[in-house]
Short mmCIF file of all heavy atoms in Angstrom, two decimals:
data_model
loop_
_atom_site.label_atom_id
_atom_site.label_comp_id
_atom_site.label_asym_id
_atom_site.label_seq_id
_atom_site.Cartn_x
_atom_site.Cartn_y
_atom_site.Cartn_z
N PHE A 61 23.49 -31.85 32.69
CA PHE A 61 22.91 -31.56 34.01
C PHE A 61 23.79 -30.53 34.73
O PHE A 61 24.86 -30.86 35.22
CB PHE A 61 22.73 -32.86 34.82
CG PHE A 61 21.47 -33.59 34.43
CD1 PHE A 61 21.30 -34.07 33.14
CD2 PHE A 61 20.43 -33.75 35.35
CE1 PHE A 61 20.11 -34.71 32.77
CE2 PHE A 61 19.25 -34.39 34.98
CZ PHE A 61 19.09 -34.86 33.69
N THR A 64 22.24 -30.71 40.43
CA THR A 64 22.29 -32.10 40.91
C THR A 64 21.02 -32.88 40.56
O THR A 64 19.95 -32.30 40.42
CB THR A 64 22.46 -32.14 42.44
OG1 THR A 64 21.38 -31.39 43.01
CG2 THR A 64 23.77 -31.57 42.88
N SER A 65 21.17 -34.18 40.44
CA SER A 65 20.02 -35.05 40.16
C SER A 65 20.44 -36.50 40.41
O SER A 65 21.57 -36.88 40.12
CB SER A 65 19.59 -34.90 38.71
OG SER A 65 18.69 -35.92 38.35
N THR A 66 19.52 -37.28 40.96
CA THR A 66 19.73 -38.73 41.04
C THR A 66 18.77 -39.42 40.09
O THR A 66 19.17 -40.05 39.11
CB THR A 66 19.52 -39.23 42.48
OG1 THR A 66 20.45 -38.60 43.33
CG2 THR A 66 19.70 -40.75 42.57
N ARG A 67 17.47 -39.26 40.34
CA ARG A 67 16.43 -39.99 39.60
C ARG A 67 16.37 -39.57 38.12
O ARG A 67 16.37 -40.42 37.22
CB ARG A 67 15.04 -39.75 40.23
CG ARG A 67 14.80 -40.54 41.48
CD ARG A 67 13.96 -39.73 42.44
NE ARG A 67 14.81 -38.67 42.98
CZ ARG A 67 15.52 -38.81 44.10
NH1 ARG A 67 15.40 -39.88 44.81
NH2 ARG A 67 16.33 -37.85 44.52
N THR A 68 16.28 -38.27 37.88
CA THR A 68 16.03 -37.81 36.50
C THR A 68 17.19 -38.16 35.58
O THR A 68 17.00 -38.68 34.48
CB THR A 68 15.76 -36.29 36.50
OG1 THR A 68 14.81 -36.01 37.52
CG2 THR A 68 15.23 -35.83 35.16
N ARG A 69 18.42 -37.90 36.05
CA ARG A 69 19.57 -38.14 35.17
C ARG A 69 19.72 -39.63 34.85
O ARG A 69 19.90 -40.02 33.69
CB ARG A 69 20.86 -37.61 35.81
CG ARG A 69 21.96 -37.39 34.79
CD ARG A 69 23.34 -37.29 35.39
NE ARG A 69 23.74 -38.51 36.07
CZ ARG A 69 24.07 -39.65 35.45
NH1 ARG A 69 24.03 -39.74 34.12
NH2 ARG A 69 24.42 -40.72 36.15
N ARG A 117 19.09 -30.06 32.48
CA ARG A 117 18.64 -29.58 33.80
C ARG A 117 19.47 -28.36 34.16
O ARG A 117 20.70 -28.37 34.04
CB ARG A 117 18.80 -30.64 34.88
CG ARG A 117 18.59 -30.03 36.26
CD ARG A 117 18.41 -31.01 37.35
NE ARG A 117 17.13 -31.69 37.24
CZ ARG A 117 16.63 -32.44 38.21
NH1 ARG A 117 17.28 -32.59 39.34
NH2 ARG A 117 15.46 -33.03 38.05
N ALA A 140 14.73 -31.21 31.65
CA ALA A 140 14.78 -32.14 32.78
C ALA A 140 14.67 -31.39 34.11
O ALA A 140 15.10 -31.88 35.15
CB ALA A 140 16.08 -32.94 32.72
N HIS A 147 9.04 -29.07 35.09
CA HIS A 147 9.72 -30.37 35.11
C HIS A 147 8.74 -31.34 34.42
O HIS A 147 8.10 -32.18 35.05
CB HIS A 147 9.99 -30.78 36.56
CG HIS A 147 10.96 -31.92 36.74
ND1 HIS A 147 11.38 -32.72 35.70
CD2 HIS A 147 11.58 -32.39 37.85
CE1 HIS A 147 12.23 -33.62 36.18
NE2 HIS A 147 12.36 -33.45 37.48
N GLN A 150 8.72 -35.23 34.88
CA GLN A 150 8.25 -35.61 36.22
C GLN A 150 6.73 -35.49 36.28
O GLN A 150 6.03 -36.36 36.80
CB GLN A 150 8.90 -34.72 37.28
CG GLN A 150 8.45 -35.03 38.72
CD GLN A 150 9.02 -36.33 39.25
OE1 GLN A 150 10.20 -36.60 39.09
NE2 GLN A 150 8.19 -37.15 39.89
N ARG A 180 8.88 -26.63 40.63
CA ARG A 180 8.62 -26.83 39.20
C ARG A 180 7.78 -28.09 38.99
O ARG A 180 7.01 -28.17 38.05
CB ARG A 180 9.95 -26.94 38.45
CG ARG A 180 10.89 -28.03 38.96
CD ARG A 180 12.28 -27.84 38.43
NE ARG A 180 13.24 -28.79 38.96
CZ ARG A 180 14.54 -28.56 39.04
NH1 ARG A 180 15.04 -27.41 38.64
NH2 ARG A 180 15.37 -29.47 39.51
N VAL A 181 7.94 -29.07 39.91
CA VAL A 181 7.12 -30.29 39.81
C VAL A 181 5.64 -29.93 39.97
O VAL A 181 4.79 -30.36 39.18
CB VAL A 181 7.55 -31.32 40.88
CG1 VAL A 181 6.62 -32.53 40.86
CG2 VAL A 181 8.99 -31.77 40.64
N PRO A 275 7.96 -36.72 44.51
CA PRO A 275 8.89 -36.80 43.38
C PRO A 275 10.30 -37.19 43.79
O PRO A 275 11.11 -37.60 42.95
CB PRO A 275 8.87 -35.37 42.81
CG PRO A 275 8.44 -34.50 43.95
CD PRO A 275 7.52 -35.35 44.79
N GLY A 276 10.62 -37.07 45.11
CA GLY A 276 11.98 -37.29 45.57
C GLY A 276 12.87 -36.09 45.22
O GLY A 276 12.54 -35.35 44.30
N PRO A 277 13.98 -35.91 45.93
CA PRO A 277 14.37 -36.69 47.10
C PRO A 277 13.50 -36.37 48.31
O PRO A 277 13.10 -35.21 48.49
CB PRO A 277 15.81 -36.27 47.35
CG PRO A 277 15.95 -34.92 46.70
CD PRO A 277 14.97 -34.89 45.57
N ARG A 307 10.07 -41.47 30.00
CA ARG A 307 11.15 -40.78 29.28
C ARG A 307 11.43 -41.47 27.95
O ARG A 307 11.79 -40.81 26.97
CB ARG A 307 12.38 -40.66 30.19
CG ARG A 307 12.08 -39.65 31.29
CD ARG A 307 13.03 -39.48 32.41
NE ARG A 307 12.53 -38.36 33.24
CZ ARG A 307 12.34 -38.42 34.55
NH1 ARG A 307 12.62 -39.50 35.24
NH2 ARG A 307 11.85 -37.37 35.20
N1 LIG B 401 12.39 -35.85 41.10
C1 LIG B 401 13.58 -35.40 40.70
O1 LIG B 401 13.71 -34.53 39.84
O2 LIG B 401 14.62 -35.98 41.36
P1 LIG B 401 16.17 -35.71 41.05
O3 LIG B 401 16.48 -34.31 41.49
O4 LIG B 401 16.94 -36.75 41.83
O5 LIG B 401 16.38 -35.85 39.58
#
Side-chain angles (χ1 to χ4, degrees):
F61 279 62
T64 56
S65 168
T66 299
R67 283 145 288 269
T68 312
R69 200 198 63 72
R117 169 166 289 192
H147 194 348
Q150 179 72 45
R180 56 195 176 205
V181 174
R307 289 172 175 128

